[in-house]
Amino acid sequence: MGQSAEFGKFLKVMRARLSPEDAGAQESSGSRRVPGLRREEVARLSGVSTDYYTRLEQGRNIHPSKAVLDSVARALRLDAGEQAHMMDLLEHCASSAGNPGPVQKVRPAVRQLLDAVGDVPAMVLGRRADVLAGNRLAHLLFTDFPALPAPERNLTRWIILDPAAGALFRDWKTVAAEAVGALRMDVGRHPNDPQTNQLVGELAVHSEHFRQWWAGHRVATRSAGTVRLHHPVVGDLELNFETLGLPDDPDQLLRVYSAKAGSPSSDALTLLSFGDVGAASQVPEPARRDDS
């Protein structure tokens, strides 16, 4: 499916979630056969013709101006992340070949940094939230990613499919939905990627929650926040996380978890550090997957 069609599907889902009252649209006459705004209502709020908006939503090969896109975003009440995703769907055209991207590699200096912050869990996430590297405490806190087969070293896959993740995250649905939203953002930036398509297909087959969230076209861009855990060894923890981009490494993020000094969560991390995951502190380079 072409990226223009994905753009149209996104607009349709965003339109369906809004009532006329929510969007500030004047109620149209006649009964509503589908939920949400009608196309003519979005067109009127956006200042474009109904025919033009219809062609946008149908994924026609047209080239809207930034002013039009901004107007559509306002009409649909898109937040900053949703608007960025909408632009990605237009700007990053799908290649017909669907060739896999280059193998993701972590620089030695970044691996050295992970070891240097060994008193807090830290990991490097790549495309699709692939776990490219992590320090020992990250593997003790979450799972032993180096021991998994290369195609399974993915944070989103682990969160959605592994029952241990469901038991670990006290707010599992929130965490899992945000992971799916981040994957949706990745698809917008890198359309028609075979490895991503394989991951999405696997998650859709095995998780009803994933199917529902994916159909909703939700996007997530939260790079910092708090996560609540119940670890099987050290009990309850409440950790802050920060996700930092690595400027010299496109599509790689450094995620670091920390606890407030002197808190029970800080004590729990210290206790956890005395454990032994039985694995090296670095994840081997993932093997490239194909779609055969």
Side-chain angles (χ1 to χ4, degrees):
M1 178 173 292
Q3 199 64 9
S4 59
E6 283 298 313
F7 173 76
K9 287 170 62 178
F10 175 74
L11 293 183
K12 187 175 181 180
V13 171
M14 295 300 101
R15 173 169 63 86
R17 72 178 183 176
L18 282 177
S19 69
E21 295 78 14
D22 293 335
Q26 183 178 355
E27 182 75 37
S28 299
S29 60
S31 61
R32 291 181 179 271
R33 292 176 296 176
V34 294
L37 293 177
R38 292 170 171 165
R39 285 174 175 170
E40 60 266 26
E41 291 169 333
V42 178
R44 183 169 60 249
L45 290 168
S46 304
V48 299
S49 70
T50 300
D51 178 68
Y52 186 88
Y53 178 78
T54 299
R55 285 185 286 150
L56 274 179
E57 199 170 282
Q58 289 176 344
R60 306 278 186 88
N61 187 23
I62 58 178
H63 305 283
S65 67
K66 185 178 185 304
V68 167
L69 293 172
D70 288 344
S71 295
V72 170
R74 287 193 296 270
L76 294 175
R77 297 294 194 265
L78 304 185
D79 62 26
E82 291 164 343
Q83 186 168 358
H85 180 61
M86 180 182 71
M87 297 301 296
D88 283 338
L89 292 174
L90 277 180
E91 293 175 3
H92 301 286
C93 295
S95 64
S96 58
N99 294 322
V103 174
Q104 302 177 99
K105 296 182 179 180
V106 178
R107 290 184 291 114
V110 176
R111 293 182 180 274
Q112 180 179 324
L113 176 62
L114 289 174
D115 289 335
V117 295
D119 57 339
V120 294
M123 62 178 67
V124 176
L125 303 176
R127 290 280 323 284
R128 303 167 295 273
D130 286 350
V131 180
L132 305 181
N135 62 13
R136 175 175 170 274
L137 194 51
H139 303 320
L140 286 168
L141 180 64
F142 296 112
T143 194
D144 187 1
F145 283 106
L148 297 177
E152 297 181 12
R153 295 176 198 146
N154 178 275
L155 187 61
T156 302
R157 183 191 185 281
W158 176 71
I159 290 172
I160 298 292
L161 298 185
D162 195 322
L168 177 66
F169 291 100
R170 290 152 64 189
D171 304 304
W172 178 84
K173 281 190 176 181
T174 298
V175 172
E178 288 184 348
V180 174
L183 181 60
R184 174 66 76 176
M185 291 287 288
D186 188 84
V187 168
R189 289 189 293 265
H190 303 277
N192 205 30
D193 175 74
Q195 294 182 28
T196 304
N197 290 343
Q198 182 177 336
L199 175 63
V200 170
E202 181 185 14
L203 294 175
V205 166
H206 295 290
S207 172
E208 173 65 24
H209 285 297
F210 178 84
R211 292 194 293 272
Q212 293 177 359
W213 292 325
W214 195 252
H217 283 254
R218 173 180 176 171
V219 299
T221 58
R222 193 163 69 116
S223 60
T226 301
V227 63
R228 303 190 315 140
L229 308 173
H230 180 77
H231 194 274
V233 174
V234 298
D236 290 346
L237 302 94
E238 185 168 310
L239 304 177
N240 298 320
F241 68 89
E242 295 285 342
T243 309
L244 309 173
L246 299 175
D248 291 337
D249 303 286
D251 296 318
Q252 290 189 22
L253 300 170
L254 174 64
R255 180 168 294 177
V256 180
Y257 297 83
S258 63
K260 184 178 179 181
S263 67
S265 296
S266 179
D267 294 340
L269 280 182
T270 300
L271 180 62
L272 185 63
S273 68
F274 290 109
D276 183 8
V277 75
S281 64
Q282 299 175 356
V283 179
E285 299 295 347
R288 182 183 295 184
R289 286 180 276 172
D290 58 36
D291 57 348
S292 59

